[in-house]
Amino acid sequence: MRRVEHVMGFPVSVRIDDEDFPGQPVDELFAWLREADARFSPFRPDSEVSRLDRGEAAGPGPELREILDLCEEYRVATGGAFDVRPPGGRLDPCAVVKGWSVQRGAELLSAAGARRFCLNAGGDVVAAGGPWRVGVRHPEQAGRLCAVLDLTDRAVATSARYERGDHILDARTGRPATGLLSMTVVAPTLTEADTVATAAFALGAEGVPWAASRPGCEVFAVDAERRVLRSEGFPVAA
């Protein structure tokens, strides 16, 4: 089964290689992603995040609390470089919401019996079963790859400047993080891979050893001097 939809501002594709897998769990996957976007997007004025930011909610619900707890964990771990509410700014937990919600979607598929599938959300991937081959885009040349991975039961996410420019801030300074061109993280879940990649990018060059020291994480980075930095266990395809 293969299916693609545009959700949360980017294309989401799923490929399931299990024979005779039913369509209903895939419908539920995309329904969940649309729900997560409606509830947690800071760009929707009626979302739970926007209402909380405006002081119109008594407090976050359980799932938003989980997201905000993760945000705080990474704020502390990066010494404040990663912060979803920078001074004077609005609450924007997108850096955690994307990986967290897509990981939840992958867990819906697994619970429904899917064993071998690839869920790709705007280039961030959950690979169940495997091995799956996943390309990492070159940070400066859109038509090229700078690495190809072999992934089995893992996830990979990349934070970079090529899609949205200098959109990731180092909250310690309030200025764009420019020490890296791209940061790719492989981790057991997309929640971890996506958040660690963004947090490491916010840290700049010091984010490479920081990310590599996180339990279960492997990294592949290109710094502002165009040097490639890779942890020993990064699963590059043979």
Side-chain angles (χ1 to χ4, degrees), residues 145-167:
L145 301 177
C146 59
V148 177
L149 289 64
D150 272 341
L151 285 187
T152 300
D153 293 326
R154 302 196 82 187
V156 59
T158 297
S159 288
R161 298 158 64 185
Y162 48 70
E163 289 289 353
R164 297 169 56 193
D166 293 329
H167 67 289

Side-chain angles (χ1 to χ4, degrees), residues 95 124 139 157-162 167-168 180-185 193-202 220 222:
D124 296 339
T158 297
S159 288
R161 298 158 64 185
Y162 48 70
H167 67 289
I168 299 175
L180 299 174
L181 296 182
S182 68
M183 164 62 73
T184 298
V185 175
D194 195 22
T195 310
V196 170
T198 305
F201 198 97
F220 181 100
V222 181

Side-chain angles (χ1 to χ4, degrees), residues 164-236:
R164 297 169 56 193
D166 293 329
H167 67 289
I168 299 175
L169 301 181
D170 179 345
R172 297 171 298 186
T173 65
R175 295 191 296 269
T178 57
L180 299 174
L181 296 182
S182 68
M183 164 62 73
T184 298
V185 175
V186 173
T189 71
L190 193 58
T191 304
E192 297 166 276
D194 195 22
T195 310
V196 170
T198 305
F201 198 97
L203 280 164
E206 63 184 291
V208 179
W210 175 84
S213 71
R214 303 287 297 180
C217 291
E218 301 292 345
V219 305
F220 181 100
V222 181
D223 69 12
E225 306 301 320
R226 294 168 177 78
R227 294 173 297 192
V228 173
L229 307 166
R230 187 177 79 188
S231 61
E232 185 176 351
F234 192 79
V236 176

Side-chain angles (χ1 to χ4, degrees), residues 66-78:
E66 181 181 342
I67 291 167
L68 295 178
D69 286 347
L70 283 169
C71 294
E72 178 62 11
E73 175 187 335
Y74 283 91
R75 186 193 68 80
V76 172
T78 60

Side-chain angles (χ1 to χ4, degrees), residues 49-167:
V49 165
S50 294
R51 288 187 285 109
L52 181 67
D53 193 40
R54 293 194 300 265
E56 298 172 3
E63 289 176 314
L64 182 53
R65 169 51 58 198
E66 181 181 342
I67 291 167
L68 295 178
D69 286 347
L70 283 169
C71 294
E72 178 62 11
E73 175 187 335
Y74 283 91
R75 186 193 68 80
V76 172
T78 60
F82 174 90
D83 194 340
V84 299
R85 193 196 288 272
R90 66 180 178 179
L91 177 63
D92 182 356
C94 288
V96 172
V97 167
K98 178 185 178 183
W100 177 88
S101 58
V102 174
Q103 181 63 40
R104 282 282 189 97
E107 290 164 5
L108 286 174
L109 295 179
S110 295
R115 294 293 174 264
R116 179 179 165 83
F117 64 86
C118 183
L119 179 56
N120 185 331
D124 296 339
V125 174
V126 179
W132 294 91
R133 288 212 159 188
V134 179
V136 176
R137 176 179 156 172
H138 192 287
E140 295 182 304
Q141 300 178 41
R144 295 185 60 189
L145 301 177
C146 59
V148 177
L149 289 64
D150 272 341
L151 285 187
T152 300
D153 293 326
R154 302 196 82 187
V156 59
T158 297
S159 288
R161 298 158 64 185
Y162 48 70
E163 289 289 353
R164 297 169 56 193
D166 293 329
H167 67 289

